[in-house]
């Protein structure tokens, strides 16, 4: 059997990781400024993570959500504390798309409405509702094109107001920082206005923090820079550090109903062991503060480079926009300088390293990056 060929691959086989470095099958070492697409938060093969998951799998790998699982309650309390959302409830699922899918369902269950406002260039995942609120017609199959979504220009509050006034909008969904859209940060004023409009109209404000959350921006959630409190927050990626998990954080305004949501694997024992190790390590190693400090350093240094048209971002979610496509720069970084980076669209290089990136590693990246640009 062959693999269903949907991924254009770099010709590299990564077989080992440690901290912010990975190695290929030929023993070549790479500096990881990509974090497997914002997934690796506390670092590859972190000893605490390895220990927690190993001891859990040796004890009980899985049982179902039909019995008490105290590990879930334990992780819920830890996520509540680290995020500042102790009064919210949490629903565990397996991925980012599923987290958004359930957030949208909850919204519609609550207010009975069906239309969603999403933003141009948004990415929210590939399950049916998540893909329908994603602004990319190429990945929306005819079966998913059900007319639930109105896409509004990022930042256009007047248009959001007009749409909400029509009375049929269940939710507004927005990323804490747009990733695929080129690392675009919503302004504080825009987020406040969205929150106000949603509160006034019984519309659910959903913050997708799947990529920008879990400490990446230098606060636990990127929207916390604006001081808002959305009705629902979704997260995935970094909270599992590679173990597939997703979470829906739900305001106390929502009343849980038995059977309304459900999952086989969500919140399983291994997922809880992974999330617990992530949160404990983030606290113990001050990784949120580190993301802020090292991110600020990188942003300042990158802004000094003339070849870059614009540097955007917060903490360790950084976009560098160039006038021209970045394919060649990225490829040189990987094959000549042995640095992994990400991309947004054609002209933006995206940095999403583990939050444990040190100042020395950040400096090492700047040196290697400049060497590529100078060639
Ligand atoms: C902002 C955002 N939302 C949702 C998703 C979907 O997450 P997953 O791939 O875990 O389904 C992603 C993944 O890249 C994302 O970046």
């Amino acid at each position: 059997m062959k693999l269903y060929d949907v991924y254009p691959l770099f010709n590299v086989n990564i077989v080992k990781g440690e901290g912010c470095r990975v190695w290929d099958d030929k023993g070549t070492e790479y500096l990881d400024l990509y974090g497997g697409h914002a997934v690796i938060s506390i670092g590859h093969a972190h000893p605490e993570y390895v220990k927690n998951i190993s001891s859990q799998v040796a004890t009980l790998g899985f049982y179902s959500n039909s019995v008490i699982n105290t590990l879930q309650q334990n992780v819920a309390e830890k996520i509540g504390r680290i995020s500042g959302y102790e009064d919210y409830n949490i629903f565990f699922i397996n991925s980012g798309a599923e987290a958004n899918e359930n957030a949208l369902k909850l919204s519609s269950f609550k207010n009975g409405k069906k239309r969603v406002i999403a933003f141009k260039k948004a990415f929210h995942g590939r399950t049916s509702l998540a893909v329908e609120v994603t602004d990319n017609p190429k990945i929306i199959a005819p079966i998913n094109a059900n007319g639930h979504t109105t896409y509004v220009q990022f930042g256009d509050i007047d248009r959001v107001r007009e749409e909400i006034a029509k009375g049929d909008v269940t939710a507004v969904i927005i990323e804490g920082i747009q990733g695929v859209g080129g690392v675009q940060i919503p302004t504080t004023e825009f987020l406040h206005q969205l929150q106000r409009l949603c509160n006034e109209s019984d519309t659910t404000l959903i913050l997708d923090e799947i990529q920008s959350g879990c400490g990446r921006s230098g606060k636990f959630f990127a929207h916390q820079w604006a001081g808002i409190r959305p009705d629902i927050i979704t997260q995935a990626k970094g909270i599992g550090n590679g173990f597939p998990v997703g979470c829906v954080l739900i305001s106390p305004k929502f009343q849980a109903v038995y059977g309304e949501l459900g999952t086989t694997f969500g919140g399983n024992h291994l997922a809880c062991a992974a999330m617990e190790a992530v949160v404990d390590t983030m606290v113990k190693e001050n990784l949120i503060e580190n993301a802020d400090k090292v991110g600020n350093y990188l942003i300042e240094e990158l802004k000094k480079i003339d070849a870059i048209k614009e540097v955007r971002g917060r903490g360790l979610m950084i976009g560098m926009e160039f006038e021209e496509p970045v394919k060649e720069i990225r490829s040189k970084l990987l094959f000549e300088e042995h640095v992994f980076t990400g991309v947004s669209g054609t002209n933006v290089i995206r940095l999403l390293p583990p939050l444990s990136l040190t100042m020395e590693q950040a400096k090492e990246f700047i040196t290697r990056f400049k060497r590529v640009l100078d060639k």
Side-chain angles (χ1 to χ4, degrees), residues 52-54 56-57 60-62 71 243 268-275:
N52 235 32
I53 296 180
S54 308
Q56 187 58 50
V57 76
L60 180 69
F62 179 83
L71 301 180
F243 199 95
N268 70 69
H269 297 69
L270 290 180
C272 288
M275 287 188 278

Side-chain angles (χ1 to χ4, degrees), residues 37-39 94-100 122-127 130 134 173-180 208-212 234-237 244-246 317 350 352:
H37 207 91
V39 166
N94 315 295
S95 67
E98 284 173 279
N100 285 334
F123 182 84
H124 296 294
R126 291 167 183 271
T127 57
T134 287
I173 184 165
I174 182 167
E175 287 155 86
I177 299 175
Q178 266 198 351
V180 174
D208 177 340
E209 294 276 6
I210 287 158
Q211 187 168 145
S212 53
T234 52
Q235 69 167 347
K237 291 191 187 283
V245 295
M317 180 163 178
R350 195 168 9 155
L352 303 160

Side-chain angles (χ1 to χ4, degrees), residues 32-193:
D32 187 8
L33 270 284
Y34 178 50
H37 207 91
V39 166
I40 302 301
S41 49
I42 61 170
H44 296 277
H46 192 288
E48 183 76 20
Y49 182 79
V50 173
K51 193 175 83 192
N52 235 32
I53 296 180
S54 308
S55 76
Q56 187 58 50
V57 76
T59 311
L60 180 69
F62 179 83
Y63 210 73
S64 99
N65 278 318
S66 64
V67 296
I68 292 169
N69 176 352
T70 51
L71 301 180
Q72 285 186 3
Q73 189 54 51
N74 173 44
V75 171
E77 279 163 24
K78 291 189 177 197
I79 293 177
R81 242 185 337 266
I82 196 172
S83 68
Y85 280 98
E86 283 172 286
D87 56 329
Y88 278 43
N89 298 302
I90 194 162
F91 178 68
F92 293 114
I93 198 87
N94 315 295
S95 67
E98 284 173 279
N100 285 334
E101 195 81 14
N102 281 281
L104 291 163
K105 278 169 69 174
L106 271 179
S107 172
S108 186
F109 273 133
K110 180 168 181 290
N111 60 25
K113 297 185 269 188
K114 290 192 199 170
R115 196 155 62 91
V116 181
I117 294 180
F119 293 94
K120 298 264 190 207
K121 297 193 178 172
F123 182 84
H124 296 294
R126 291 167 183 271
T127 57
S128 58
L129 283 171
V131 83
E132 215 191 319
V133 295
T134 287
D135 182 28
N136 181 355
K138 279 193 231 142
I139 64 168
I140 302 178
I143 200 169
N144 301 130
N146 295 315
H148 291 125
T149 310
T150 303
Y151 301 103
V152 170
Q153 205 64 44
F154 197 65
D156 187 348
I157 197 68
D158 293 334
R159 182 74 201 291
V160 174
R161 190 180 295 109
E162 269 168 39
E163 293 300 330
I164 286 183
K166 293 177 187 167
D168 62 341
V169 174
T170 181
V172 175
I173 184 165
I174 182 167
E175 287 155 86
I177 299 175
Q178 266 198 351
V180 174
V183 188
Q184 303 286 354
I185 306 176
T187 65
T188 296
E189 195 194 356
F190 184 55
L191 288 178
H192 277 270
Q193 287 169 321

